[in-house]
């Protein structure tokens, strides 16, 4: 029948609950995997990172942090790809104009 009722929308997917992560002793893991010097250096590096991206700092927002982190990546991508993109688009436009003039 053309005028039959529409099928009901599918139920949204709900992920099954996750089991809690196993408990671990951070000091025990650090003792068995790395030495004191390496653990100290890693802790210092993570401390510096945490201080650098701490929110909010002087009105700094997550958007500000993301912008700062993406700027060098975007610059690198543009440096690598923009000349080729511009050349291709200019060539397309030249061909389009030339076809329009009957050349």
């Amino acid at each position: 029948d053309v005028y039959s009722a529409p099928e009901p929308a599918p139920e949204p997917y709900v992920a099954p609950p996750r089991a809690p992560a196993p408990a671990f002793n951070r000091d025990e893991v650090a003792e068995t995997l790395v030495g004191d010097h390496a653990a100290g250096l890693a802790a210092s590096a993570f401390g510096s990172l945490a201080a650098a991206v701490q929110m909010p700092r002087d009105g700094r927002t997550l958007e500000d942090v993301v912008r700062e982190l993406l700027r060098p990546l975007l610059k690198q991508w543009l440096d690598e790809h923009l000349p080729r993109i511009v050349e291709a688009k200019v060539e397309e436009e030249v061909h389009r104009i030339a076809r329009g003039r009957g050349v």
Side-chain angles (χ1 to χ4, degrees), residues 59-72:
R60 192 169 159 188
T61 66
L62 179 59
E63 183 178 312
D64 296 334
V65 173
V66 170
R67 185 179 296 120
E68 290 172 20
L69 294 173
L70 286 179
R71 185 175 299 277

Side-chain angles (χ1 to χ4, degrees), residues 67-83:
R67 185 179 296 120
E68 290 172 20
L69 294 173
L70 286 179
R71 185 175 299 277
L73 298 173
L74 180 59
K75 182 185 183 317
Q76 179 184 358
W77 189 92
L78 288 171
D79 287 346
E80 291 175 14
H81 299 288
L82 187 61

Side-chain angles (χ1 to χ4, degrees), residues 30 34-47:
V34 295
D36 291 338
H37 180 69
L41 290 174
S44 175
F46 281 120

Side-chain angles (χ1 to χ4, degrees), residues 10 15 27 31 35 40 62:
D27 296 328
E31 287 177 13
L62 179 59

Side-chain angles (χ1 to χ4, degrees), residues 2-66:
V2 177
Y3 297 103
S4 61
E7 293 184 28
E11 292 293 321
Y13 174 77
V14 177
R18 291 185 176 196
F24 68 94
N25 181 332
R26 185 182 332 201
D27 296 328
E28 182 180 304
V29 172
E31 287 177 13
T32 59
L33 292 178
V34 295
D36 291 338
H37 180 69
L41 290 174
S44 175
F46 281 120
S48 297
L49 176 63
V53 296
Q54 186 176 8
M55 307 293 172
R57 187 181 85 193
D58 301 328
R60 192 169 159 188
T61 66
L62 179 59
E63 183 178 312
D64 296 334
V65 173
V66 170

